[in-house]
Amino acid sequence: MIGAGVSGLTFAAAMRKAAPDVEIALYERDPSPTHRPQGYAIGLRNGTGLAALGELGLRDAVVGSDSIRVTNLVFTNQAGQTLLSLKSSPDDPNTTYRVQRLHLKQVLLEAAEPRRVQFGARCLGYVHANGRVIAAFEDKSQVDADYLIACDGAASAIRQQLVGDHKRYLGLVSIHAEAPIEVEHPLLDGGYFLTMGKNGCSFFCYRQPGGVYWSYVVHADSEASIAEQPKDVLLQRVQSETRDWHDLVPRFVAAAKVDTIGVRGYYDKEPIKRVHEVRVWVIGDAAHPMCPFQGQGANMALVDAVRLARLLATPRDPQETEKVDADIAKRGRDAVLQSRSNARRFHETRAFARVQRDLAFRTASFFIGLFRSRT
C-alpha cells in the first residue's frame, strides 16, 4: 500500500481482519504520522463511512466521546434567513458524525499495526515483471508484491502513471480559522450552518471543543494569490466582506485567533472509468479527488478500502474484480460531480441564478418539512 492516510490504513486494517495470513506493508512519504497538520473534523455518514468501520469492528472506537452527531445542516442567505434545513435521525443513512481526523487515523493505525508502516518512503512509480508488481522509491529502493494499492491521495504518483491527468482548479479558495468563543444559537444547535453571500462567497461554521471553526470561501484566480498574503491581512479581508452579514458571522470572524488562519484551494480531477490495471488499484482520493462540498471524500475512501480488501482476501474471480472496479469508479464519479456541482451552486455570482437557487432550496425545505409532519 502506498500511502498511510485514511484509505491506506483502512485497507490494511481490513486485510488484517479478512486475511490475517497475508503479508501487508504500507509505505508513507511523511516522516511520521503527525508530521503535517491533520486538518479539521470530518463528517462520517451512517450509510457509507461508518458502515465500513462497522464491518471492521471500529465504529464505536471512532464515534467516541469527542464525536458529535450532526442533527441538522442549515443553509441560510446573507441575512440569516433559513433557505434549507436538512435534519436527520440517528438511524438515517445520511446522518453524519463529526470526528477529528487525527483520532480517526489513530484508531485505524492501531488496527493496521504501526509496525507495518514505513515512514519517509516516497513512491515514484511502478512496473510489472514476472507476474508481480514492483514499486520504485525515491531512495532508489524497490519492493515487489502481488498487488500494489495506491492510497497516496489527490497527488498520487501511481494515478499519474496510470492515468496521466492533472488536478482541476475550481476557482475557489477558503480562508479558515478557529475562534475560541462559545455561542448558543439555533443555527449551531444541529451541527453545521452554511451561509451563502450576495458576493458569491460562503461562510461555513461548526462548533468544536473550546469554540468554533469557520471557513470563508472566496473566488480567486489561484490559490497562491490568497496564500501569499499575511494572516492578519486575510482576516481583515473576511471582516470587511462579512461586516453586513447576519450577526453570527462577524462575531465569529472578530473572535478568530490570527495564528489559526489558514488557506486551502479547492480542486478535483475528471472522474475515471477504471481504478484497476492488472495488479494495481487506486482507491480513496487517488481514485476520485474531489472538493469537500458533498462531504464524501473520507466516506468514499473507507468504503473503497473495505470493498477492495474483501475482494483481494478471497480467491481471484475475474467477474467480481470487474464488478468492484466498476463500483469504486462509479461511486467516485457520482461524488466528484455532485461536489463540483455544489461548489458552483453555493458560490453563484449571478444575481438571477442566486434567486433561482434560493427558491429551489426553500421549495425543497417546504416539502421535506411536509413529509416529516406526515410521518
Side-chain angles (χ1 to χ4, degrees):
M1 285 80 76
I2 307 301
V6 171
S7 56
L9 292 173
T10 304
F11 179 82
M15 284 300 294
R16 279 197 64 211
K17 182 178 179 65
D21 294 334
V22 171
E23 182 181 355
I24 58 176
L26 292 88
Y27 296 85
E28 166 59 45
R29 62 177 175 262
D30 286 348
S32 73
T34 57
H35 174 67
R36 289 179 294 163
Q38 296 302 301
Y40 41 82
I42 56 178
L44 301 181
R45 296 188 183 183
N46 265 346
T48 50
L50 290 178
L53 290 169
E55 286 192 41
L56 304 182
L58 300 177
R59 187 186 192 280
D60 290 344
V62 170
V63 182
S65 58
D66 290 338
S67 66
I68 297 175
R69 182 170 72 87
V70 178
T71 59
N72 196 10
L73 168 57
V74 182
F75 293 83
T76 82
N77 60 16
Q78 186 170 308
Q81 298 167 322
T82 296
L83 303 174
L84 177 61
S85 177
L86 298 176
K87 296 181 179 180
S88 60
S89 59
D91 58 349
D92 186 333
N94 287 320
T95 291
T96 297
Y97 286 79
R98 196 169 66 241
V99 303
Q100 294 299 314
R101 183 183 294 272
L102 179 58
H103 173 64
L104 172 62
K105 290 183 65 175
Q106 287 173 332
V107 171
L108 292 172
L109 179 61
E110 184 63 29
E113 291 191 347
R115 67 178 180 83
R116 299 178 186 272
V117 185
Q118 180 174 325
F119 291 98
R122 180 181 294 274
C123 182
L124 302 181
Y126 67 91
V127 294
H128 294 287
N130 302 319
R132 305 272 283 176
V133 59
I134 302 173
F137 293 85
E138 191 175 48
D139 64 0
K140 309 301 182 183
S141 65
Q142 295 184 336
V143 177
D144 71 292
D146 295 302
Y147 294 98
L148 174 65
I149 315 301
C151 313
D152 46 346
S156 168
I158 307 303
R159 175 181 171 130
Q160 185 62 30
Q161 182 175 339
L162 190 67
V163 182
D165 58 356
H166 300 282
K167 63 183 181 181
R168 178 179 182 273
Y169 176 54
L170 300 180
L172 298 170
V173 176
S174 76
I175 303 168
H176 52 83
E178 298 177 11
I181 180 174
E182 300 285 351
V183 174
E184 295 298 323
H185 194 282
L187 286 181
L188 284 171
D189 286 348
Y192 302 128
F193 76 81
L194 177 73
T195 295
M196 297 174 290
K198 296 177 182 177
N199 58 355
C201 299
S202 73
F203 189 90
F204 175 69
C205 186
Y206 61 76
R207 282 199 189 99
Q208 63 179 11
V212 298
Y213 167 90
W214 57 256
S215 173
Y216 181 64
V217 177
V218 303
H219 292 265
D221 292 335
S222 68
E223 179 181 357
S225 67
I226 304 296
E228 64 190 10
Q229 299 179 38
K231 292 184 177 183
D232 60 335
V233 172
L234 294 175
L235 183 56
Q236 290 169 13
R237 171 179 176 170
V238 181
Q239 289 174 327
S240 174
E241 293 184 5
T242 61
R243 186 172 290 114
D244 60 347
W245 291 35
H246 66 85
D247 63 336
L248 272 188
V249 175
R251 285 176 67 188
F252 289 155
V253 175
K257 297 175 64 176
V258 175
D259 62 348
T260 68
I261 293 285
V263 171
R264 177 188 180 189
Y266 292 121
Y267 305 83
D268 65 18
K269 288 186 177 180
E270 292 299 330
I272 54 179
K273 295 180 179 179
R274 296 181 62 85
V275 297
H276 161 241
E277 177 197 78
V278 192
R279 294 181 175 273
V280 176
W281 289 82
V282 290
I283 62 174
D285 284 347
H288 31 67
M290 67 188 77
C291 61
F293 299 106
Q294 177 72 355
Q296 284 283 50
N299 289 283
M300 291 294 100
L302 289 162
V303 174
D304 290 353
V306 172
R307 186 75 178 88
L308 181 58
R310 195 187 308 142
L311 171 73
L312 298 185
T314 58
R316 189 170 182 182
D317 179 346
Q319 289 186 334
E320 186 64 17
T321 296
E322 291 302 314
K323 183 178 178 180
V324 172
D325 188 351
D327 171 63
I328 294 175
K330 184 182 184 306
R331 280 189 295 98
R333 175 184 177 82
D334 292 346
V336 169
L337 295 182
Q338 185 60 56
S339 295
R340 186 184 296 175
S341 175
N342 284 346
R344 289 194 299 265
R345 182 179 298 113
F346 299 161
H347 305 98
E348 184 58 68
T349 57
R350 298 168 298 168
F352 182 65
R354 289 199 305 272
V355 170
Q356 289 181 307
R357 175 200 65 197
D358 293 355
L359 178 60
F361 276 25
R362 285 192 168 102
T363 302
S365 193
F366 171 79
F367 282 107
I368 290 171
L370 186 64
F371 175 78
R372 287 201 188 99
S373 67
R374 291 182 176 180
T375 56

